[in-house]
Amino acid sequence: MAAPASVPAAAPTPPAPVPPTPPTPVPPAAERVYVHVKQGVLDRRYAGGTLLTEGELADAVGVSRTPVREALLKLEVEGLIKLYPKKGALVLPVSAQEIADVVETRLLVEEHAARKAVPASPRLIARLEELLEQQKRQGEAGDLAAVAVTDRNFHLEIVRSGGNAILSRLYEQLRDRQLRMGVAVMHAHPDRIAKNVAEHGEILAALRAGDPDAAAAMIHRHVGWFNSLARGDLR
């Protein structure tokens, strides 16, 4: 009997072509200017009292002056700068009244949130531990802007844990002011970084122990310290 004819092996299927990665969309020019200036104000590259000109900003971002004007108008509405026709935009210093108002609002929200956070969930405790370690590393590296962001996120996690969406949105509205003040504090009081870390550790310990009164008291002492800045000139 004749041997059966061998069946030729099927040709390998060529791999499917990889679609090209779409280009990253470039934000509109006015948005780029807005982000550039706002971040500069928050991290103190543009300190209070700095006069910014349209030409300088246009060159820094690589755009024309028209989107610069649009961005500056938006930043003026947000209270970060004051526009002066034919002169430029003045970065507004942080006033003593603004500090006092922010501290008062933070105390009302955060003390309430600290009490509601007890008993703290394992997820909240783990997240606060993570942020505390992150803040320590950033402080050791001298990254003051990052320290301020992590500091705020630590408190934001406690506020969010209460489950009150309205309070959380109210607290979010303080973001820019908190970051700007936080960076200014770190510059003026470098020793405050270590104190912040230590006080965050005490807040975390109170939450871990399930003690709402101790957690609220620690928040009051920690946040209330900013009141002393209202007697100074924070730029």
Side-chain angles (χ1 to χ4, degrees), residues 195-218:
K195 291 179 180 177
N196 273 0
V197 170
E199 290 172 7
H200 281 181
E202 292 172 357
I203 295 168
L204 175 57
L207 293 175
R208 193 185 285 120
D211 190 336
D213 292 335
M218 278 306 310

Side-chain angles (χ1 to χ4, degrees), residues 101-169:
D101 290 348
V102 169
V103 169
E104 182 179 15
T105 306
R106 286 190 63 186
L107 287 174
L108 288 170
V109 174
E110 292 190 40
E111 287 186 50
H112 172 76
R115 293 180 185 279
K116 283 195 70 176
V118 177
S121 69
R123 190 211 68 81
L124 175 61
I125 295 298
R127 178 59 177 153
L128 294 180
E129 289 173 342
E130 176 186 352
L131 289 170
L132 188 58
E133 289 304 314
Q134 183 176 323
Q135 190 178 19
K136 288 178 184 177
R137 294 193 300 271
Q138 292 165 341
E140 291 167 357
D143 191 342
L144 303 186
V147 168
V149 171
T150 304
D151 181 294
R152 182 185 180 278
N153 287 341
F154 183 94
H155 293 270
L156 178 60
E157 288 291 339
I158 297 173
V159 172
R160 284 177 173 170
S161 72
N164 187 321
I166 295 175
L167 275 184
S168 294
R169 284 197 296 271

Side-chain angles (χ1 to χ4, degrees), residues 41-44 94 99 102 106 135 143-149 151-152 174-190 192-193 196 225-226 229 234-235:
V41 172
L42 296 183
D43 65 20
R44 284 178 60 85
V94 179
I99 295 170
V102 169
R106 286 190 63 186
Q135 190 178 19
D143 191 342
L144 303 186
V147 168
V149 171
D151 181 294
R152 182 185 180 278
L174 299 176
R175 176 186 179 275
D176 292 346
R177 290 181 170 88
Q178 281 182 258
L179 292 180
R180 192 178 180 198
M181 292 177 190
V183 174
V185 168
M186 304 305 171
H187 277 280
H189 305 273
R192 188 63 203 172
I193 298 176
N196 273 0
W225 182 86
F226 275 90
L229 298 178
L234 180 63
R235 290 186 171 86

